[in-house]
């Protein structure tokens, strides 16, 4: 237990250090560009506060596809550093709190959704660090369309699982805290693996697209998890079942 706490503390310190570096690099780059060519720069870069709405799900089939009826509404929020390479290309990274999960609704009578049902809501939370290569097409000095993709890593930090049942009009609810194992990401094992615990760390690929105008960025994204979520599952390559799939709609505000 002590070892797991120390690992989590170390990861949090690493995340803070990474964000400090991101902010410094983005600030220096944006300042240099604005000083050099404030009127002609079509890719200013900078630091964004971002947040949005997630449609979270978990793959249910071997080919990685999902069932739409299990889609859960959640959220994302964080800080993004946009580091321009030139007028059309950027590298983006940051630190985000991501809501993952899924839902399940069972009705004894599909035509009666007011009574005799079981509803579950599974809402784990993760700290995510993406690393995206982004292409931007200028529309004017203040507007551009962007498209990008890249990998991400994430660390589970908490969340809740809730069950609501209705039997004969009597409603009962229960909730439990989502637990993660004490994995050491530098080893190939899942330390502290148990059937009731999720993997602490995961990786995936994301894609994003949208429009920037002045200091505002509006876009959509999709996170395709590559890691099975349960700590007792190690066959990531055998099939694509039980992996996170998350669509998001996001709004960003550039701070500098």
């Amino acid at each position: 237990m002590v070892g797991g706490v120390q690992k989590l503390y170390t990861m949090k310190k690493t995340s803070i250090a990474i964000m400090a570096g991101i902010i410094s690099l983005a600030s220096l780059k944006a300042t240099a560009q604005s000083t050099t060519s404030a009127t002609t720069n079509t890719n200013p870069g900078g630091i964004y506060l971002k947040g949005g709405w997630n449609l979270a799900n978990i793959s249910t089939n071997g080919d990685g596809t999902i069932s739409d009826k299990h889609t859960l509404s959640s959220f994302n929020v964080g800080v993004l550093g946009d580091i321009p390479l030139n007028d059309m290309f950027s590298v983006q990274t940051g630190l985000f709190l991501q809501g993952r999960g899924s839902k399940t609704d069972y009705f004894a009578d599909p035509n009666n959704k007011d009574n005799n049902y079981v509803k579950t809501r599974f809402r784990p939370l993760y700290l995510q660090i993406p690393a995206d290569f982004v292409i931007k097409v200028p529309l004017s000095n203040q507007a551009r369309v962007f498209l990008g993709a890249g990998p991400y890593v994430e660390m589970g930090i908490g969340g809740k699982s809730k069950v609501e049942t209705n039997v004969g009009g009597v409603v009962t609810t229960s909730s439990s805290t989502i637990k993660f194992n004490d994995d050491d990401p530098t080893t190939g094992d899942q330390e502290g693996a148990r059937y009731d615990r999720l993997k602490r760390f995961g990786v995936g690929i994301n894609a994003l697209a949208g429009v920037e105008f002045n200091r505002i960025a509006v876009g959509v994204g999709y996170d395709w998890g590559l890691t099975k979520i349960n700590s007792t599952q190690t066959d990531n390559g055998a099939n694509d079942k039980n992996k996170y799939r998350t669509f998001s709609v996001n709004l960003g505000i550039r701070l500098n």
Side-chain angles (χ1 to χ4, degrees), residues 9-30:
Y9 178 67
T10 300
M11 284 300 298
K12 288 183 177 179
K13 289 199 300 182
T14 302
S15 298
I16 293 171
I18 290 171
M19 280 310 303
I22 291 166
I23 291 171
S24 297
L25 285 173
S27 297
L28 289 172
K29 186 71 174 181

Side-chain angles (χ1 to χ4, degrees), residues 66-224:
I66 61 174
S67 172
D68 289 338
K69 66 181 179 180
H70 297 317
T71 300
L72 176 73
S73 181
S74 189
F75 72 96
N76 68 83
V77 64
V79 179
L80 175 74
D82 183 307
I83 305 170
L85 303 177
N86 56 37
D87 283 350
M88 290 189 63
F89 300 101
S90 282
V91 173
Q92 293 184 350
T93 186
L95 183 64
F96 292 88
L97 179 63
Q98 291 280 1
R100 304 293 193 198
S102 68
K103 69 178 184 180
T104 301
D105 294 331
Y106 169 78
F107 300 95
D109 180 358
N111 297 317
N112 178 13
K113 297 186 178 181
D114 295 325
N115 292 291
N116 301 318
Y117 61 74
V118 178
K119 298 180 179 180
T120 64
R121 301 293 185 267
F122 175 64
R123 299 180 180 275
L125 295 174
Y126 289 79
L127 284 179
Q128 181 199 74
I129 299 175
D132 296 315
F133 181 74
V134 180
I135 301 172
K136 300 184 181 183
V137 180
L139 302 177
S140 69
N141 284 348
Q142 297 297 325
R144 60 207 67 87
V145 176
F146 64 86
L147 181 69
Y152 67 81
V153 295
E154 61 185 8
M155 176 180 71
I157 60 171
K160 290 284 186 179
S161 182
K162 180 180 179 181
V163 179
E164 178 182 313
T165 62
N166 183 320
V167 180
V170 178
V171 178
T172 59
T173 60
S174 63
S175 64
S176 59
T177 300
I178 294 173
K179 298 178 181 179
F180 298 86
N181 69 347
D182 297 322
D183 181 33
D184 180 347
T186 64
T187 71
D189 298 325
Q190 288 290 322
E191 291 85 359
R194 286 174 50 177
Y195 76 93
D196 61 343
R197 296 190 178 186
L198 303 183
K199 289 180 180 176
R200 175 74 67 183
F201 301 97
V203 298
I205 299 171
N206 63 30
L208 60 148
V211 178
E212 296 177 358
F213 180 76
N214 199 354
R215 292 182 176 272
I216 303 298
V218 180
V220 296
Y222 194 83
D223 288 0
W224 183 277

